[in-house]
């Protein structure tokens, strides 16, 4: 598993926590930051997945 996938999953989790915390506290900025972190994590996870597929194809 590529390190980008692991880091991407971590960002998604961190973003989900911030998103929920923002909803609970009514902090729109924190909620928006959480959504941004989740989106970045999804992209990074996808990049890692592509790297894994490329590596598997060359093996």
């Amino acid at each position: 598993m590529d390190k980008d996938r692991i880091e991407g999953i971590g960002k998604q989790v961190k973003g989900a926590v911030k998103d929920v915390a923002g909803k609970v506290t009514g902090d729109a900025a924190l909620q928006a930051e959480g959504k941004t972190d989740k989106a970045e994590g999804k992209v990074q996870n996808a990049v890692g997945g592509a790297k894994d597929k490329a590596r598997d194809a060359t093996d």
Side-chain angles (χ1 to χ4, degrees):
M1 181 179 277
D2 191 76
K3 71 176 182 135
D4 282 324
R5 292 186 76 183
I6 296 166
E7 290 175 8
I9 291 168
K11 282 184 183 178
Q12 286 178 324
V13 170
K14 182 175 89 171
V17 170
K18 285 183 179 180
D19 188 18
V20 170
K23 284 180 186 176
V24 170
T25 62
D27 187 347
L30 183 61
Q31 188 176 2
E33 187 177 331
K35 290 179 188 277
T36 301
D37 287 347
K38 284 196 296 188
E40 287 176 5
K42 285 181 183 180
V43 170
Q44 190 170 9
N45 190 8
V47 168
K51 287 180 180 179
D52 283 342
K53 286 182 182 179
R55 187 174 22 254
D56 289 345
T58 58
D59 287 345

